[in-house]
Amino acid sequence: MASVKAWVEHWGYSYKFIDDSFFQQVPKWFYESVQGQRHLVSDLARLELASQYLSQGWDRVIWLDADVFICDIDNFTLASEHNYLLCRELWVTSRDNEIFFSDKVNNSVLVFCKNNKFLDFYRNACLRLIRSRQGTLRRTEIGTEFLTGIAHLLPLIETSVTFSPFLLSAFYHRDEKVIAAYLQRLSHPMQAINLCLTFRNTHYQNLLLTDDVFATVIDNVKNTG
């Protein structure tokens, strides 16, 4: 979060850190329906907060996940002709020594300006999807899955990227071949990174993704290019 605070100060934005009270922003029935699943609660809670701030008179609300690291503070501006933005996700995996790229959309970084129509649409879609859903809910169901399904309709942030466990491992081990292939596939400079702390303290192959691993990844990103 230190990089986000530095970015906020650099650009003269107001900053608000939201603690675990964040998870109380959703309706009780929603929380119970998703059985308190933090990803699903978070997907809606960020929309509720954005709506609240806009209704209080703010011209623009920017949401950044707590695991977003801004690696180019001077140039990460989120300037756009659109009155809302979501985040492009280039998800990278490997199988049989071959790299696979998947284009998706996520909500790790969001921009909502006043009078945008998408915020209410997305919020209501989340509520309706959960209200009508039966059985086990996937943690990405109203986030990445839903947004990727309507990707062709959405204006996207291209300079904030997402590191899959495969990419975390590649940057940790400084696998120059993988890193070069990834950077070549990106359509814009890498200015911010969603580090995906969802995978914290889990194993990717023989690598345990500890805090030290994430710290090394950040250092290696700073030294890339």
Side-chain angles (χ1 to χ4, degrees), residues 92 99 101 163 166-185 190 216-217 219-225:
V92 190
I99 301 174
F101 299 92
F163 275 14
F166 171 72
L167 271 185
L168 290 168
S169 175
F171 274 85
Y172 176 76
H173 292 295
R174 295 197 61 86
D175 187 329
E176 301 297 341
K177 182 178 178 180
V178 171
I179 293 171
Y182 174 67
L183 294 178
Q184 186 175 18
R185 184 66 180 257
M190 184 170 62
T216 300
V217 169
D219 288 340
N220 288 342
V221 165
K222 293 176 180 177
N223 295 323
T224 297

Side-chain angles (χ1 to χ4, degrees), residues 7-189:
W7 175 72
V8 165
E9 292 175 2
H10 178 79
W11 289 99
Y13 296 145
S14 296
Y15 175 77
K16 175 69 174 178
F17 170 75
I18 310 296
D19 60 19
D20 280 352
S21 62
F22 168 70
F23 294 101
Q24 301 171 13
Q25 299 296 322
V26 305
K28 182 178 179 181
W29 70 262
F30 183 97
Y31 189 93
E32 292 174 348
S33 295
V34 303
Q35 299 180 332
Q37 215 285 359
R38 292 172 70 88
H39 294 89
L40 295 169
V41 174
S42 174
D43 286 335
L44 179 61
R46 69 192 63 194
L47 305 180
E48 299 286 6
L49 282 171
S51 181
Q52 290 174 27
Y53 279 106
L54 290 175
S55 68
Q56 292 168 9
W58 293 92
D59 292 328
R60 182 169 68 153
V61 174
I62 300 172
W63 168 271
L64 295 103
D65 278 359
D67 55 359
V68 170
F69 167 69
I70 299 178
C71 52
D72 189 352
I73 289 171
D74 291 339
N75 293 305
F76 188 57
T77 65
L78 300 179
S80 174
E81 62 185 14
H82 301 284
N83 61 12
Y84 71 94
L85 292 168
L86 293 100
C87 197
R88 184 192 180 208
E89 174 179 299
L90 183 62
W91 192 255
V92 190
T93 56
S94 175
R95 186 174 66 250
D96 299 328
N97 294 319
E98 185 176 356
I99 301 174
F100 294 89
F101 299 92
S102 300
D103 283 306
K104 301 182 181 183
V105 177
N106 70 46
N107 55 5
S108 61
V109 182
L110 295 171
V111 179
F112 294 114
C113 299
K114 64 180 180 181
N115 300 322
N116 83 88
K117 302 297 184 183
F118 183 77
L119 176 55
D120 283 343
F121 162 77
Y122 184 24
R123 176 182 174 274
N124 289 328
C126 291
L127 293 170
R128 293 182 66 181
L129 283 167
I130 296 304
R131 193 183 293 275
S132 63
R133 189 73 164 81
Q134 300 293 325
T136 303
L137 295 161
R138 298 178 299 278
R139 62 180 176 81
T140 57
E141 195 150 344
I142 61 174
T144 300
E145 290 183 39
F146 176 75
L147 295 172
T148 300
I150 58 172
H152 61 291
L153 302 174
L154 303 174
L156 301 178
I157 300 162
E158 302 278 358
T159 55
S160 180
V161 302
T162 299
F163 275 14
S164 64
F166 171 72
L167 271 185
L168 290 168
S169 175
F171 274 85
Y172 176 76
H173 292 295
R174 295 197 61 86
D175 187 329
E176 301 297 341
K177 182 178 178 180
V178 171
I179 293 171
Y182 174 67
L183 294 178
Q184 186 175 18
R185 184 66 180 257
L186 292 178
S187 58
H188 290 74

